[in-house]
Amino acid sequence: MGWNGGRGETSALRQNELRAPTVLIEGSFRLFFFSREEPRIHVHVAHPDGEAKFWLTPTVALATSVGLSEHRLREAHALVDKHLGVIQNAWNRHFGS
């Protein structure tokens, strides 16, 4: 615990969550977006092996990836497809419609 009873750590975690809010966690995957990255709707998918970014419109499509195997990319893509409505709702709540 730090000099302020851990409040600084909690505050830092809260600030990080505001900048990169988590949409959901499923298995080893975390779906999130960055608050000030770009206006086109998309989601980042993090995994211990790497990370990918998917555009959500007009259809779900891989934008970039680093470190993920083809198998992990297929899993990530399927996860985004499965939770597309949840991701879009979270985007609209965070950024406005």
Side-chain angles (χ1 to χ4, degrees), residues 24-31 45-50 72 75 79:
L24 65 92
I25 296 173
E26 186 168 310
S28 297
F29 291 96
R30 173 182 172 240
L31 280 67
V45 181
H47 184 274
D49 296 343
R72 290 285 185 235
E75 287 181 316
L79 198 58

Side-chain angles (χ1 to χ4, degrees), residues 37-55:
E37 185 180 18
E38 58 185 278
R40 184 175 173 190
I41 188 169
H42 64 280
V43 69
H44 293 264
V45 181
H47 184 274
D49 296 343
E51 188 173 313
K53 176 179 173 179
F54 290 90
W55 301 119

Side-chain angles (χ1 to χ4, degrees), residues 6-21:
R7 285 180 297 232
E9 292 172 21
T10 301
S11 178
L13 291 172
R14 173 92 173 114
Q15 287 299 314
N16 188 48
E17 185 64 21
L18 291 173
R19 286 188 300 270

